[in-house]
Amino acid sequence: MKLRPCACIDTLYIELPFLERIAAAGRDGFAAVEFWSWQDRDMAAVRHAAQAAGIRVAGFNGDGPFSLIDPGQREAYLAYLARSMDAAKAAGASSLTIHSNALGEGGVVTDRGEGLSDTVRLCALYEGLKACASMAEERGITLHLEALNPITDHPGNFLVTTAMAAELTALVGSPRLKILYDIYHMQLSEGNLMGNIRAWHGQIGHVHAADAPGRHEPGTGEIAFSAVLDCLETAGYDGLVGFELFPAHTTAEAVSAILAL
């Protein structure tokens, strides 16, 4: 593949100790690694391991047990995000992924904003994103807002479409706030992958990939990856493609399928 592949090491290489996954991804030819949580990991050790492997740390999740859709949680959300930005700096990571809702173990939506209208949730999300972007500009960290599918993985999540995510980031208008376009999630949420890439390519800052259904490597599901990746390139995307997928059988087989694209 012409686009640079990035390995999510919370789903790939999990047969190895965490830091050894970074070296393995480097040996296999990935340009970068990413992961989900930072709280239980030594960020200085991550940075050292990445430098030793000659590989980038793309980023990790920046939000924790707080939601952007609840205006009452904004202060706590921003305080947590500030800590995540400090962790990103320590790891040498260039970006953080953020979401509309708080996510718990296994990506379960832990706060659906019960009792709040859609109007309140949308307005709170917009105002919260403006505050996040301001902080990101001050600290030199890029934020990627990710829409998630509510069909199988994240029931109850508020932000589920490319258009809503991209319209919000465009309205905020910060170079430090873009969307994370997840091919797997968007195939389940809305389909029309290439149409949405063409429509919103200017707001795409990072890409995630897994086949659907199943969330395994390319070739195990229904997505025409060669066409979708070509569409991204033609639209002008030149960033990383993060393979956030669970191997159908082994990491080695999944990596082979990824690098064959």
Side-chain angles (χ1 to χ4, degrees):
M1 63 184 293
K2 295 178 183 177
L3 292 171
R4 293 169 293 157
C6 172
C8 175
I9 54 173
D10 271 327
T11 62
L12 291 169
Y13 303 104
I14 60 171
E15 65 275 10
L16 299 174
F18 183 74
L19 293 177
E20 292 180 22
R21 301 173 199 176
I22 298 172
R27 287 193 300 271
D28 281 343
F30 285 95
V33 295
E34 60 186 302
F35 45 93
W36 290 334
S37 65
W38 59 265
Q39 303 92 329
D40 55 343
R41 278 137 184 185
D42 183 334
M43 293 294 97
V46 167
R47 184 180 193 131
H48 178 76
Q51 289 173 339
I55 195 169
R56 286 177 51 196
V57 179
F60 44 84
N61 289 343
D63 41 19
F66 306 106
S67 288
L68 279 173
I69 59 170
D70 184 346
Q73 296 185 36
R74 186 172 305 144
E75 184 175 343
Y77 184 98
L78 293 172
Y80 189 94
L81 182 62
R83 293 175 55 210
S84 296
M85 289 182 176
D86 290 341
K89 291 288 189 181
S94 57
S95 70
L96 294 170
T97 302
I98 60 174
H99 306 90
S100 59
N101 297 62
L103 303 176
E105 188 71 26
V108 173
V109 176
T110 58
D111 185 347
R112 302 188 181 195
E114 286 87 351
L116 301 175
S117 69
D118 284 349
T119 302
V120 168
R121 289 187 283 182
L122 180 58
C123 290
L125 179 55
Y126 172 65
E127 292 296 332
L129 288 172
K130 287 199 299 182
C132 291
S134 178
M135 184 185 298
E137 290 169 8
E138 291 173 2
R139 294 175 177 242
I141 296 288
T142 299
L143 301 177
H144 294 135
L145 176 65
E146 183 178 24
L148 303 171
N149 88 79
I151 309 300
T152 61
D153 299 277
H154 307 283
N157 197 67
F158 183 69
L159 184 63
V160 299
T161 67
T162 305
M164 181 184 282
E167 286 173 343
L168 283 165
T169 59
L171 284 169
V172 172
S174 170
R176 288 292 182 180
L177 177 66
K178 297 295 181 180
I179 69 167
L180 193 166
Y181 186 78
D182 190 303
I183 294 168
Y184 163 78
H185 284 305
M186 293 305 95
Q187 174 69 359
L188 294 179
S189 283
E190 61 188 7
N192 191 29
L193 298 178
M194 293 192 290
N196 281 315
I197 288 168
R198 294 187 189 105
W200 302 109
H201 63 89
Q203 292 301 313
I204 297 176
H206 190 53
V207 172
H208 275 174
D211 215 336
R215 205 172 187 177
H216 302 310
E217 60 267 26
T220 59
E222 64 191 9
I223 297 175
F225 272 92
S226 60
V228 174
L229 295 176
D230 284 347
C231 181
L232 279 164
E233 284 194 281
T234 300
Y237 181 74
D238 61 357
L240 296 167
V241 177
F243 287 87
E244 186 189 50
L245 56 83
F246 299 93
H249 300 291
T250 67
T251 294
E253 290 175 282
V255 169
S256 179
I258 291 166
L259 299 181
L261 291 173

